Amino acid sequence: MAAALLTAAVLLVALNVVWFASGAGTRVEGGQPCAVRWYNYSSFVCVCNATYCDAPPSRPALSNGGIAHYTSSRCGQRLSLRLRSFKNPAELQSGAARLRVDTSQQFQRMLGFGGGMSDSTAINIRALSSATQQQLLRSYFGSSDGSSQYSLIRLPMGGTDFSVRNYTYDDSSKPDPSLKNFALQPEDIEYKIPLLLLAQRLSGNGLKIHAAPWSAPRWMKAHNGTIGISWLQSRYYQTWANYFVK
Ligand SMILES: *[C@@H]1O[C@H](CO)[C@@H](O)[C@H](O)[C@H]1NC(C)=O
Ligand SMILES: *[C@@H]1O[C@H](CO)[C@@H](O)[C@H](O)[C@H]1NC(C)=O
Ligand SMILES: *[C@@H]1O[C@H](CO)[C@@H](O)[C@H](O)[C@H]1NC(C)=O
Ligand SMILES: *[C@@H]1O[C@H](CO)[C@@H](O)[C@H](O)[C@H]1NC(C)=O
């Protein structure tokens, strides 16, 4: 889940360094520092436990023209916060590119920021002590400043490449166009749903869930399998739509 947050932060940084003098503005102190652990990939992780999790500082209300500028970096910053202003020329780097935002022209709507709740994510989270689970979910979905305030979950319908077994919600050995054997699986009941409910309770953002399948049941597909390149047989288009509704 951390990857999604990181991507969002990196995008903001990429846009912002273009036109802000680094070090300008006011650094906001506070929050809780990252408990760093290196696994020797491209960056470190921040370790949370039952009693501790890193948190960004509280963000003061912004003045007119004010900007809250968060930076995460490979060398150590994690959502460090500076307050800057569009109205203070000293904070704009001279000679650097300027970005002009035309608010009258709008493109796609952003649904929110979040992460995926696959069965493997849920199995790993459920393996933690219940206090640590709470802490972890609060750090992602909580509504306070110290949380990432995720507002979106992508929920795989059935198994994924990361699952410990292959399954969909209708693994009949014969075609089942009326979906008589459609059923949620133990992964949903024991792992995903309890965590979704917890995340929903913690979120003050009206958490949105975006359900997306990994594969249709094998009997709907041209190669009678869930792995590898194949396609839905056209006679099951309606059945597949009904599967989504269920
Ligand atoms: C939890 O993490 C904090 C910060 O890293 C650490 O000081 C504390 O000892 C940890 N607690 C346990 C029980 O490991
Ligand atoms: C990562 O690399 C550093 C420096 O090479 C080493 O000191 C550290 O023990 C390594 N950490 C792990 C978890 O392998
Ligand atoms: C899922 O099925 C594929 C193809 O039969 C197999 O290669 C893979 O190992 C299976 N995965 C699991 C977790 O059983
Ligand atoms: C599809 O594969 C399953 C499992 O191997 C098998 O039981 C079933 O008969 C196959 N269906 C067709 C139409 O080949």
Side-chain angles (χ1 to χ4, degrees):
M1 295 212 290
L5 175 64
L6 206 59
T7 309
V10 166
L11 279 174
L12 289 175
V13 172
L15 285 173
N16 285 340
V17 289
V18 177
W19 88 104
F20 284 125
S22 66
T26 311
R27 186 184 150 87
V28 179
E29 304 293 338
Q32 308 225 68
C34 170
V36 172
R37 185 181 295 169
W38 280 94
Y39 287 96
N40 288 347
Y41 291 102
S42 57
S43 190
F44 54 86
V45 300
C46 301
V47 179
C48 298
N49 62 27
T51 55
Y52 187 86
C53 204
D54 55 293
S58 297
R59 180 173 64 71
L62 294 178
S63 57
N64 186 8
I67 302 157
H69 179 192
Y70 289 91
T71 308
S72 293
S73 64
R74 187 185 281 189
C75 62
Q77 296 179 93
R78 285 293 180 272
L79 297 175
S80 83
L81 173 59
R82 300 192 84 88
L83 298 181
R84 302 173 183 277
S85 173
F86 273 121
K87 296 186 167 174
N88 180 356
E91 292 189 4
L92 304 175
Q93 202 166 4
S94 62
R98 295 274 174 92
L99 297 186
R100 210 176 66 204
V101 179
D102 178 357
T103 55
S104 70
Q105 202 183 354
Q106 300 189 349
F107 297 96
Q108 75 272 33
R109 179 178 296 199
M110 192 191 71
L111 283 178
F113 290 96
M117 183 69 81
S118 64
D119 54 11
S120 59
T121 303
I123 287 168
N124 280 303
I125 296 175
R126 297 296 268 175
L128 302 168
S129 73
S130 83
T132 308
Q133 290 181 36
Q134 290 271 347
Q135 180 86 271
L136 179 72
L137 290 173
R138 196 178 307 116
S139 82
Y140 282 117
F141 297 103
S143 56
S144 71
D145 274 343
S147 299
S148 301
Q149 301 180 32
Y150 274 12
S151 56
L152 189 64
I153 288 182
R154 188 187 57 167
L155 180 68
M157 294 159 62
T160 74
D161 291 10
F162 306 109
S163 301
V164 294
R165 65 186 184 102
N166 290 321
Y167 66 96
T168 71
Y169 290 148
D170 191 341
D171 292 320
S172 309
S173 55
K174 296 200 186 89
D176 179 23
S178 60
L179 299 175
K180 275 199 308 292
N181 297 319
F182 181 99
L184 294 182
Q185 296 297 304
E187 284 84 347
D188 299 293
I189 310 293
E190 286 164 34
Y191 296 104
K192 287 151 82 171
I193 292 173
L195 290 179
L196 291 173
L197 291 173
L198 199 50
Q200 233 162 10
R201 273 202 298 278
L202 289 166
S203 168
N205 284 332
L207 191 64
K208 293 191 188 71
I209 294 175
H210 170 227
W214 222 259
S215 173
R218 57 191 308 152
W219 50 267
M220 292 190 198
K221 296 177 72 178
H223 74 331
N224 188 31
T226 54
I227 313 282
I229 297 170
S230 184
W231 55 90
L232 199 60
Q233 300 184 69
S234 55
R235 64 174 171 280
Y236 294 126
Y237 284 176
Q238 184 59 49
T239 312
W240 184 224
N242 297 345
Y243 182 100
F244 268 65
V245 171
K246 278 179 175 284

